[in-house]
Amino acid sequence: QVQLQESGPGLVKPSQTLSLTCTVSGGSISSGDYYWSWIRQPPGKGLEWIGYIYYSGSTYYNPSLKSRVTISVDTSKNQFSLKLISVTAAETAVYYCARAGPLTFDFDYWGQGTLVTVSS
Amino acid sequence: DIQMTQSPSSLSASVGDRVTITCRASQSISSYLNWYQQKPGKAPKLLIYAASSLQSGVPSRFSGSGSGTDFTLTINSLQPEDFATYYCQQSSTTPYTFGQGTKLEIK
């Protein structure tokens, strides 16, 4: 059974960098069968897809965040990571990592989510 | 970006009812449409992928249909555990986008 687990600071100051890691167990990122995504959800609001990474390191970012976001992968640790620079209070959200299949790009496995609050 | 619009935004129903939620895309997405269920404090759960394929382990009372720009999620014989928020998501074109959600409440 595939499991994903987010980790990282729960509080980030405005204008600083948000950094999160997703650890995958029960399956290998290196298998190349899936894409690995970050998705966020502000409290009480809807879902926003941030971007994905493939095991090879190829990425695609939501254009609305492209200038500030980096997703990287560490296949030796079976982890992928999110960095978002220059955050604002409006980016307070639950951040999820998720797995997507390459054909229909549906998100079939999700982490439990981690709340990141942007506040001084 | 492709805009996804769900209707209604909220819905009240009773156990045993049949409910339908609609999702409309701002342009054709073929059958690249997925449905999720989210309960408070939990991650979304995939119900339907590719418009009409039932995800493994999901009860058969859930079904999806549609193609192009108009899609529906139907829940037959509502069960107490079905009261949640439902989201559609298009996976036709990046950036992948979600509908605003439909909150299904107990009448």
Side-chain angles (χ1 to χ4, degrees), chain B residues 26-80:
Chain B
S26 60
Q27 65 188 71
S28 177
I29 57 171
S30 185
S31 295
Y32 292 95
L33 191 283
N34 310 306
W35 288 99
Y36 301 86
Q37 175 194 68
Q38 187 178 34
K39 295 182 178 179
K42 300 294 187 181
K45 172 187 175 183
L46 178 65
L47 300 175
I48 302 286
Y49 63 95
S52 60
S53 296
L54 191 67
Q55 175 68 355
S56 176
V58 174
S60 59
R61 62 180 179 273
F62 291 92
S63 64
S65 64
S67 67
T69 60
D70 295 313
F71 302 86
T72 58
L73 172 70
T74 299
I75 312 172
N76 286 301
S77 188
L78 271 173
Q79 298 300 299

Side-chain angles (χ1 to χ4, degrees), chain B residues 11-17 19 37-40 61-62 75 77-86 102-107:
Chain B
L11 175 61
S12 294
S14 301
V15 173
D17 284 354
V19 300
Q37 175 194 68
Q38 187 178 34
K39 295 182 178 179
R61 62 180 179 273
F62 291 92
I75 312 172
S77 188
L78 271 173
Q79 298 300 299
E81 60 268 29
D82 299 337
F83 292 94
T85 300
Y86 292 83
T102 294
K103 187 173 184 178
L104 177 56
E105 299 175 304
I106 300 175
K107 184 182 289 183

